[in-house]
Amino acid sequence: MSAENAALNAPSKGISPKQLFIGPWTIAVFTWRESIRKKTMVGFLILSLLVIFGATVMTSMMQQDTVGSAAAAGPLETQTKLIKDICVSAISIFGALITIFISASVVPSEIENKVIYTVLSKPVRRLQYLIGKFVGVQLTVLLNLVLMGGLFFIALWAREGMPPTLLLWAMLLMFFEFLILSAFTFAISCTSSSSVLPTIAGLFIYITGNLTEYLKDVSVRAEHGTSMEQLVGQLAQILYNILPNLQNFSLKNDIVQGMVNDPPPFEIIPNLIVYSLIFSAIGFCLSYVIFLRKEL
Amino acid sequence: MSTVIHTENLTKTYESAFGGQDVHALKSMSFEVQSGEIFGYLGPNGSGKTTTIKMLLGLIFPTSGKIRILGSEDITSNHIRMNIGYLPEGAYYPDFLRGEEILKYYGQLYGLSGADLRNRIDAVIDLVGMSHARKRLMRGYSKGMRQRIGLAQALISDPKILILDEPTTGLDPIARKEIRDILARLRDEGKTLMISSHELMEVELISNRISIIYEGDMKVHGTIDELLVDREVVVEVTDLDEPGAKQLEERGLTLEDAISGRARVRVPEGMDVYNAIEICRSAGARIGSIAPRRETLEELFVRVVGGASRAKAEKAA
């Protein structure tokens, strides 16, 4: 019997415990490889890199014009703040858009092009599939953050002459902010066979998650208002309690106002990471509950 | 022969969300697929073929009824999944991957790795005749090549059962023949194949048994030899002129391929063959040959589905 025939006639074996982890990891790597080739994602990434690069170069050119003037120190500081403000905002916004877009599309696109049928007809549990997809999304988000943050890190280091370590902490917190955003967008994507609705929902989560302080404000102001205003206030209070506060994860003010190598607020970082992991776990569990009995 | 797929009163109803009419995609469907056979699962669009297949694979859930695969009702267990290969209709495979990378991905999902995986990839890629293009990117593949890679991914774990949804649809005649030959070879190797298809000629050529379903109902089920019986006699005639042809049609005979005085005359079921010959002679035609003619699967399909469709229209009226 030839090797080929032996392989063809090999007995079908059961699944090994190792496969419980290999399956999701295989799906995660496949998802990552596919995601980094998506035109929309590549477009956002290039745009963000252009913004970071452009802001740094343009303000450097402005800096050269002002060298020699008596008031150079003032504008120099302002320009540095401007660069930091633009670049951190760009990383945050483009990072969020990429996170939403990828999280919203990985499952619906596989339903649409029927790849999911070939995967779930194999010895892959729905939970394993979801874990693989979710991990694949996080790998993609992480890669984007590394690229965007890395470019800005180098530019800022070159400009300031010292490693901007605070930026690394900001990137870390941004990743955990995006983890929450991704988990809930991913959960909504499991209800849909199109990525449009989950993308809109993801944007809604991002915007409201960054505006939860306003919800608190609304609820306080409504305390002594009319009954209608009180009702709105109660609703705002409920939303404030339920929704994750994404603004907590922002170190933008610390970066813009302080020195680039200032120590981060160490006391809140572990809390924020746990906060993110709890919300992300809730989001992921929600996606599993939705997907478990989903008719494909 | 043992039963590898067994369905019992399998029913699928999609309930309307807003008080509309429920959709009965499958109504008490019962059938069996025996080991080592090719089972043709036929029906027009929307008849419930893909719904049945998705239920067999655990992708959707029956409203009621039972499914047993390889004797087990736990059809989503790893043991059952290891023994089923599935090729969906028109599946997409990422353009940035090479043929063998696709197979590596699916092989890993079965827990294959190292030399085992490499051997399986070599074996299936050779089986589907894609050795020459295994390192080519998917974007360079023709439709037939993509379908062959699809078939290879379904075979990567050496499953006992293969479920194929429209495996030859959209392929050119040569690619169709190649896929058909592969399927026949797999049957000869002892695999069980369930094929859902619109390509009736293909199914007729390779299937042992078929089912025809219409609107979720089983209309016909049996072996090809049981179902496609000799229903008619065909008389080949020559020297048939136009008035003669008209005369034959008036007397209830059907002419096929009439050209330059030659024609095939179909004698309908119930008419005496001698009587038909006499009619041909009286019309001035010369008898070339007389032969029984077996109904084709296409004719059976049209008769069954057309009959069901007419019955439904009459009921509605």
Side-chain angles (χ1 to χ4, degrees):
Chain A
M1 192 186 280
S2 69
E4 282 174 8
N5 283 337
L8 272 175
N9 296 323
S12 300
K13 293 178 285 186
I15 201 156
S16 66
K18 198 176 80 172
Q19 175 59 9
L20 289 174
F21 302 99
I22 290 179
W25 181 246
T26 304
I27 293 168
V29 173
F30 181 82
T31 304
W32 177 75
R33 289 185 69 184
E34 202 174 23
S35 298
I36 57 172
R37 284 171 174 83
K38 288 198 171 173
K39 284 177 186 163
T40 318
M41 201 219 68
V42 174
F44 281 145
L45 182 63
I46 291 172
L47 207 57
S48 65
L49 294 179
L50 281 176
V51 170
I52 295 166
F53 183 75
T56 316
V57 171
M58 290 292 281
T59 43
S60 296
M61 286 164 69
M62 285 161 61
Q63 180 191 338
Q64 282 172 3
D65 294 342
T66 56
V67 169
S69 74
L76 248 178
E77 197 182 318
T78 310
Q79 284 159 16
T80 307
K81 280 185 180 176
L82 187 66
I83 292 175
K84 289 195 279 191
D85 195 359
I86 292 172
C87 292
V88 174
S89 299
I91 293 170
S92 176
I93 291 168
F94 285 112
L97 287 175
I98 289 170
T99 303
I100 292 168
F101 176 74
I102 297 293
S103 307
S105 64
V106 285
V107 173
S109 67
E110 287 220 336
I111 295 173
E112 202 176 342
N113 60 31
K114 301 182 183 176
V115 171
I116 198 167
Y117 302 149
T118 58
V119 176
L120 289 181
S121 60
K122 311 249 179 302
V124 175
R125 297 274 163 190
R126 291 189 178 209
L127 178 61
Q128 289 177 296
Y129 174 79
L130 280 187
I131 291 172
K133 283 282 150 196
F134 190 67
V135 171
V137 170
Q138 301 324 313
L139 290 175
T140 313
V141 171
L142 191 62
L143 175 74
N144 282 302
L145 272 177
V146 167
L147 287 176
M148 293 188 292
L151 179 63
F152 184 43
F153 185 86
I154 293 165
L156 208 54
W157 192 348
R159 188 181 174 87
E160 300 283 296
M162 58 181 112
T165 48
L166 188 59
L167 182 65
L168 298 178
W169 290 102
M171 291 293 114
L172 178 77
L173 288 186
M174 219 179 268
F175 175 75
F176 281 101
E177 177 192 353
F178 294 160
L179 190 64
I180 298 176
L181 183 61
S182 173
F184 284 98
T185 309
F186 188 73
I188 294 161
S189 82
C190 289
T191 64
S192 175
S193 54
S194 148
S195 60
V196 178
L197 173 74
T199 302
I200 294 168
L203 289 170
F204 175 79
I205 293 165
Y206 181 64
I207 293 165
T208 49
N210 275 293
L211 294 176
T212 47
E213 287 304 325
Y214 290 99
L215 291 172
K216 180 74 181 167
D217 197 36
V218 169
S219 106
V220 171
R221 281 168 190 240
E223 271 174 11
H224 304 293
T226 63
S227 58
M228 189 62 192
E229 284 169 344
Q230 281 179 2
L231 189 69
V232 172
Q234 282 168 358
L235 188 67
Q237 182 64 40
I238 291 169
L239 283 174
Y240 177 78
N241 291 334
I242 292 173
L243 289 172
N245 187 344
L246 300 181
Q247 201 60 49
N248 285 341
F249 292 85
S250 176
L251 290 184
K252 188 175 149 187
N253 284 339
D254 304 63
I255 291 178
V256 173
Q257 301 301 335
M259 296 295 287
V260 290
N261 60 352
D262 278 349
F266 282 116
E267 65 285 358
I268 63 160
I269 288 178
N271 292 346
L272 283 174
I273 291 173
V274 172
Y275 180 85
S276 164
L277 291 176
I278 291 170
F279 267 104
S280 308
I282 293 169
F284 184 79
C285 289
L286 197 62
S287 64
Y288 178 59
V289 170
I290 294 164
F291 196 70
L292 182 64
R293 296 294 294 175
K294 185 177 174 71
E295 305 240 308
L296 297 165
Chain B
M1 250 190 195
S2 58
T3 303
V4 292
I5 299 176
H6 171 92
T7 72
E8 198 177 307
N9 298 323
L10 201 57
T11 302
K12 181 68 186 173
T13 304
Y14 292 101
E15 285 177 18
S16 171
F18 302 105
Q21 214 171 9
D22 291 350
V23 177
H24 302 285
L26 225 54
K27 302 165 191 164
S28 290
M29 185 71 71
S30 300
F31 64 85
E32 287 185 344
V33 181
Q34 307 296 328
S35 70
E37 73 174 2
I38 297 184
F39 174 67
Y41 196 56
L42 314 173
N45 288 334
S47 57
K49 302 188 297 293
T50 303
T51 300
T52 311
I53 288 175
K54 283 183 176 179
M55 280 197 273
L56 293 177
L57 296 167
L59 298 171
I60 59 173
F61 311 100
T63 307
S64 63
K66 282 183 183 169
I67 300 172
R68 220 167 32 241
I69 297 178
L70 295 169
S72 170
E73 285 190 24
D74 185 8
I75 58 167
T76 57
S77 70
N78 286 334
H79 167 68
I80 298 300
R81 291 265 172 94
M82 289 294 285
N83 283 297
I84 295 182
Y86 172 52
L87 173 66
E89 181 190 2
Y92 157 90
Y93 303 101
D95 279 348
F96 64 88
L97 291 179
R98 296 170 204 285
E100 64 179 12
E101 287 177 323
I102 294 275
L103 300 179
K104 188 179 168 195
Y105 171 60
Y106 286 107
Q108 285 172 335
L109 294 180
Y110 279 107
L112 296 169
S113 60
D116 284 349
L117 179 58
R118 281 195 299 276
N119 288 342
R120 281 304 303 161
I121 291 173
D122 290 346
V124 294
I125 224 158
D126 185 47
L127 178 71
V128 299
M130 287 290 288
S131 298
H132 65 288
R134 61 186 293 167
K135 293 199 184 294
R136 204 184 294 173
L137 289 173
M138 289 299 287
R139 69 170 67 99
Y141 278 15
S142 67
K143 200 168 180 182
M145 291 163 101
R146 281 172 181 265
Q147 198 68 341
R148 278 196 260 180
I149 283 293
L151 194 54
Q153 69 77 21
L155 285 163
I156 195 76
S157 71
D158 189 26
K160 292 186 173 77
I161 304 166
L162 269 174
I163 298 178
L164 312 173
D165 200 353
E166 305 287 353
T168 57
T169 299
L171 303 184
D172 63 50
I174 293 171
R176 274 213 301 269
K177 163 98 173 62
E178 286 169 351
I179 295 276
R180 197 171 67 223
D181 290 345
I182 294 168
L183 300 184
R185 189 178 151 191
L186 290 169
R187 179 195 54 198
D188 296 343
E189 285 176 0
K191 302 216 182 291
T192 306
L193 285 83
M194 178 174 175
I195 300 175
S196 155
S197 180
H198 284 132
E199 303 287 342
L200 299 173
M201 204 180 84
E202 308 290 326
V203 174
E204 184 179 346
L205 285 170
I206 58 171
S207 294
N208 304 88
R209 285 192 312 126
I210 57 154
S211 283
I212 298 178
I213 64 168
Y214 178 75
E215 296 202 334
D217 262 334
M218 176 78 75
K219 294 297 175 190
V220 167
H221 182 75
T223 65
I224 289 280
D225 289 336
E226 283 167 2
L227 297 172
L228 303 182
V229 290
D230 297 342
R231 299 180 63 86
E232 293 179 327
V233 170
V234 172
V235 180
E236 286 195 1
V237 296
T238 54
D239 298 344
L240 182 66
D241 56 15
E242 210 169 302
K246 203 171 174 186
Q247 194 181 329
L248 293 185
E249 284 177 339
E250 281 168 0
R251 306 272 306 260
L253 296 168
T254 311
L255 266 65
E256 277 180 351
D257 307 330
I259 184 164
S260 306
R262 300 175 68 91
R264 286 153 54 90
V265 181
R266 285 168 61 178
V267 182
E269 200 178 0
M271 180 185 276
D272 185 72
V273 178
Y274 294 106
N275 186 21
I277 294 168
E278 201 47 50
I279 293 168
C280 292
R281 281 187 177 145
S282 66
R286 287 175 58 185
I287 307 298
S289 67
I290 305 163
R293 180 181 170 281
R294 196 169 95 153
E295 186 179 32
T296 64
L297 183 55
E298 186 179 79
E299 287 165 340
L300 173 71
F301 185 87
V302 170
R303 186 161 57 82
V304 170
V305 173
S309 176
R310 276 193 299 278
K312 185 189 167 197
E314 281 165 17
K315 200 176 165 187

